[in-house]
Amino acid sequence: MSKNEGKYNIKAASKMLGIQPGTLRAWERRYQMIAPVRNDSGHRLYTEEHIKILKWLIQKVNKGFTISQAVSLLDKNQQELLETDGGDSTANSDLSKDLLEELLKALLEFDEGRAHEIMDKIFSLYSVEKVLIDILGTLLVKVGDLWENAEISSAHEHFASAFLRSRIGMILHGLPVNGFLPKTVSVCGPGEWHELGLLIYTLFVRRKGFDTIYLGTSIADNDIHIVLKEINPKFLFLSCTLSINLPKTLEMVDDLHRDYPDLIIGLGGSAVDRMPQHKQTEYQEFLIGNTMKEWEDWLKQHMAAKN
């Protein structure tokens, strides 16, 4: 039987996919992403290709996308997705590296249209977590290294940062919030203007369902008190990437920890990672780490301590 011939009725298809027949009918009616064939009795029959498309959409929904976002990604990448089984992890790893290099090249050529196309492709193929850590996280390091080594201009760095900030922000504000989880605030440390690492971490926290207020780059010294009193968050996340700004950032941690004893403070960023061992030990309770596993563990530990 050809993969384009109707093979599964809606009951069999819904069982294979793990969704209700009513959900499947609603998706088809609203988004028309597939068109099941009909048998002589008028009942839906799904092909192997339909099942493959639906499985892909469900994977995206399970990773945090809305069904409309998943269908939009499918529309842009359907042919390639149908031709790719995704079973070769080495090939997938190589592809993600290739896409990263393509994205970097587009950004350094100020080719915004091409950069958006590549980003759409990346988000269609990988989970949000993989995009954040393995691709965008790596890209940030590459751009930062190129800029620090004077291999690219500040204009290149600003363009790449603005592009990534926009794309990550679109996802951040589209994610649902779990009303049972506490509020969080994310802001860069004093004097800090490199915010993308913090933005990636904030997106990770928002993906967990936390009600997240993202302030971004450094704010005036006393304004943090206004924010904390107005929002009354349970968590405050601070980021510091430049070592020159680290002393003031640590001073802020000390002051806020003293003034707001119920506030849980998380501290991260490349300057924090480079702290001497004695400083790492002194501020151990605040260090969120630099891998997703460490982020997960830190959040779980501090949530448990507050419950």
Side-chain angles (χ1 to χ4, degrees):
M1 181 179 287
S2 167
K3 68 177 182 178
N4 294 317
E5 293 182 33
K7 183 176 180 181
Y8 307 102
N9 62 26
I10 193 167
K11 183 177 179 181
S14 64
K15 186 174 182 180
M16 292 171 62
L17 297 167
I19 61 173
Q20 294 296 319
T23 301
L24 191 49
R25 292 191 192 96
W27 286 4
E28 293 170 24
R29 183 171 58 253
R30 183 167 184 178
Y31 301 105
Q32 287 122 33
M33 68 285 192
I34 60 171
V37 297
R38 302 274 180 167
N39 62 16
D40 293 340
S41 302
H43 297 142
R44 289 173 170 83
L45 289 177
Y46 297 85
T47 67
E48 295 284 1
E49 185 173 289
H50 292 150
I51 297 298
K52 186 172 185 178
I53 291 172
L54 290 165
K55 283 182 177 178
W56 187 88
L57 290 170
I58 291 168
Q59 286 175 353
K60 292 300 174 188
V61 170
N62 289 339
K63 293 181 185 300
F65 290 93
T66 65
I67 181 60
S68 62
Q69 289 171 331
V71 171
S72 178
L73 290 172
L74 177 71
D75 290 342
K76 297 174 182 177
N77 301 276
Q78 185 165 0
Q79 187 58 43
E80 180 174 349
L81 291 166
L82 291 175
E83 293 173 353
T84 304
D85 290 328
D88 187 339
S89 60
T90 302
N92 283 338
S93 176
D94 290 343
L95 177 59
S96 68
K97 291 178 182 177
D98 290 343
L99 290 171
L100 188 155
E101 292 299 329
E102 287 182 37
L103 179 57
L104 178 61
K105 183 174 184 292
L107 291 173
L108 296 185
E109 292 176 353
F110 302 101
D111 189 343
E112 185 173 1
R114 177 61 179 151
H116 279 298
E117 289 178 5
I118 298 168
M119 281 292 290
D120 289 341
K121 186 173 182 180
I122 289 171
F123 276 113
S124 74
L125 293 172
Y126 303 106
S127 69
V128 173
E129 286 78 9
K130 179 174 178 61
V131 174
L132 290 179
I133 304 303
D134 294 344
I135 298 177
L136 297 188
T138 303
L139 181 64
L140 288 177
V141 172
K142 282 179 174 283
V143 171
D145 288 344
L146 289 171
W147 180 70
E148 288 184 11
N149 294 328
E151 296 180 47
I152 61 173
S153 68
S154 60
H156 289 99
E157 193 271 342
H158 291 337
F159 178 79
S161 296
F163 174 85
L164 294 174
R165 185 188 308 114
S166 173
R167 287 302 301 247
I168 297 171
M170 288 168 58
I171 302 171
L172 178 67
H173 297 297
L175 292 173
V177 170
N178 183 339
F180 293 101
L181 292 175
K183 292 182 178 180
T184 74
V185 170
S186 299
V187 66
C188 292
E192 280 287 310
W193 295 99
H194 294 274
E195 63 176 305
L196 287 176
L198 178 67
L199 187 55
I200 287 176
Y201 180 77
T202 304
L203 181 52
F204 163 80
V205 173
R206 183 62 175 268
R207 285 271 292 159
K208 296 295 179 185
F210 288 85
D211 185 358
T212 306
I213 308 299
Y214 178 75
L215 300 179
T217 53
S218 179
I219 60 176
D221 291 347
N222 291 326
D223 285 358
I224 189 62
H225 296 284
I226 298 173
V227 171
L228 294 177
K229 291 174 182 177
E230 180 73 23
I231 299 173
N232 191 28
K234 284 294 184 183
F235 289 88
L236 171 68
F237 302 114
L238 292 169
S239 172
C240 183
T241 60
L242 299 179
S243 296
I244 192 173
N245 295 322
L246 186 59
K248 284 191 174 181
T249 299
L250 296 180
E251 182 180 338
M252 174 181 278
V253 170
D254 293 335
D255 291 345
L256 294 177
H257 185 54
R258 181 194 64 236
D259 296 341
Y260 303 88
D262 293 330
L263 180 67
I264 303 172
I265 302 173
L267 182 61
S270 54
V272 176
D273 296 336
R274 295 192 299 266
M275 286 195 305
Q277 186 57 50
H278 71 278
K279 284 291 184 182
Q280 296 274 349
T281 301
E282 182 180 351
Y283 289 90
Q284 183 62 45
E285 67 174 293
F286 306 107
L287 304 184
I288 63 174
N290 51 27
T291 68
M292 192 168 294
K293 176 66 165 56
E294 291 172 335
W295 296 350
E296 292 264 13
D297 292 344
W298 190 90
L299 271 179
K300 287 179 181 177
Q301 176 189 343
H302 287 82
M303 283 293 291
K306 280 295 179 181
N307 292 333

